[in-house]
């Protein structure tokens, strides 16, 4: 299962972004999400929020500023690797390349890349970072982020995400967080009959001191063992949640919980794209109506273009309405999408009653047929895919280590 590798590039040389992006295009085995910063101050804030696996920083004449930045980052993100970018013509007449690199090592830089950047050298650095990063992360494995998305409201996305989070939490009490990132229309708290005193906006406002402990304190607990980070109380507060805040919250969440379920707003804005970047799996929820089928057919390739490949997508048909004459069949929808559904949720009228009462239906549903059966299958897949992802990372680590030259 291919996951995104997050890279922060620091420098203000003309053409750096174009050069780095061009070199990355020749790197095969990694899907990279890259962000750029021109100053150390901006880079430190981005590093704190996004927690990249690799930081590539230009080495210029400001070695003092470089050392201060790398020391701060190393203390803040000990699992992050730092690589130095340098030009050989930077050296003074009395300074050798080895002496320059030694200064970089003293600044806690672990790898080096020369301008002009080449795909081969970047690939080698990524290989080393991957092995090193997986070795460190094995001591403290990250949780898995699962997102539920759609291209329109009313398809039952929130109903499914809330019920799946509750079922997952009933199997793993205290290890599941539901993040209501449907910022404008979040209904998770209502569907759980909870009245949270804090929301995701409080996490944004406390970003200067936000850590794993505070994040838990900002959630509200449900009796099934689920923790909820609620949506903002109104649209004005929702505007305070930006992509950097979402990066920070979700990165902390997956260090605090084994599973993080994210319900999203039906619009591809920067916040939702951030959720996609960090998601291990994305469940695309849709109805079987013709307008929604056409919309989903357009959405799926867009998701892939945004860094959510087909193998990380799960297509969910939610039949949240009674059957009627002329209703599209599952086969007809799959032919239009040229994709098969991973899960189909049949109509269940009790869902509306449970939603009104704030009682998740899945906690009382049978696991042998109907909505309950589909729910148990989906949650079982989340558990299995998470286990497979961990096993794949271990196998990849072993293969990479075996390929290391003696």
């Amino acid at each position: 299962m291919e996951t995104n590798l997050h890279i922060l590039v620091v420098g203000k040389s003309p053409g750096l972004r174009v050069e780095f992006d061009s070199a990355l295009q020749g790197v095969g085995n990694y899907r990279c999400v890259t962000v750029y910063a021109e100053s150390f101050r901006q880079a430190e804030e981005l590093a704190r929020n996004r927690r990249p696996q690799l930081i590539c920083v230009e080495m210029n004449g400001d070695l003092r500023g470089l050392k201060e930045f790398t020391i701060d980052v190393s203390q803040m993100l000990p699992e992050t690797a730092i690589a130095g970018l340098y030009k050989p013509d930077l050296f003074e007449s009395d300074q050798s390349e080895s002496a320059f690199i030694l200064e970089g090592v003293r600044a806690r830089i672990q790898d080096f890349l020369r301008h002009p950047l080449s795909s081969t050298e970047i690939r080698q650095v990524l290989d080393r970072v991957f092995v090193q990063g997986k070795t460190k992360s094995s001591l403290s494995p990250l949780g898995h982020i699962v997102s539920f998305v759609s291209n329109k409201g009313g398809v039952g996305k929130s109903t499914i995400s809330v019920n799946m989070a509750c079922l997952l939490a009933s199997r793993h009490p205290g290890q599941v967080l539901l993040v209501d990132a449907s910022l404008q229309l979040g209904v998770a708290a209502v569907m759980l009959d909870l009245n949270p005193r804090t929301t995701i906006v409080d996490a944004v406002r406390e970003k200067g001191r936000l850590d794993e402990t505070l994040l838990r304190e900002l959630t509200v607990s449900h009796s099934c063992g689920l923790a909820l980070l609620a949506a903002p109380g109104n649209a004005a507060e929702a505007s305070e949640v930006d992509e950097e805040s979402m990066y920070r919250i979700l990165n902390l969440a997956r260090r605090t919980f084994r599973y993080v379920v994210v319900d999203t707003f039906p619009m591809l804005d920067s916040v939702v794209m951030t959720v996609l970047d960090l998601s291990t799996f994305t469940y695309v929820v849709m109805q079987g109506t013709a307008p929604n089928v056409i919309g989903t057919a357009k959405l799926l390739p867009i998701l892939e273009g945004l860094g959510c490949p087909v193998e990380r997508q799960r297509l969910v048909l939610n039949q949240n309405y009674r059957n009627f004459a002329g209703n599209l069949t599952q086969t007809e929808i799959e032919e239009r999408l040229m994709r098969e559904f991973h899960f189909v949720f049949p109509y269940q009228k009790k869902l509306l009653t449970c939603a009104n009462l704030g009682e998740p239906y899945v906690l009382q549903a049978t696991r042998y047929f109907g909505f309950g059966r589909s729910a148990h299958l989906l949650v079982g897949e989340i558990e299995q895919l998470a286990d497979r992802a961990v096993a794949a990372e271990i196998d990849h680590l072993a293969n990479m280590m075996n390929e290391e030259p003696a």
Side-chain angles (χ1 to χ4, degrees), residues 318-332:
N318 186 30
Q319 298 171 326
N320 60 342
Y321 49 83
R322 291 184 181 276
N323 196 19
F324 58 89
N327 185 27
L328 295 175
T329 66
Q330 179 180 337
T331 300
E332 289 173 331

Side-chain angles (χ1 to χ4, degrees), residues 48 52 63 71 122 156 167-168 180 182 191 251 255 260 263 279 294 301 308 344 362 387 392:
R48 181 181 292 108
L63 283 178
I71 290 173
I122 289 184
L167 182 56
L168 194 59
D180 193 345
S182 183
M191 298 179 72
N251 272 316
R255 284 167 167 76
V260 181
D263 186 26
S279 294
I294 294 172
C308 181
V344 177
V362 74
D387 291 340

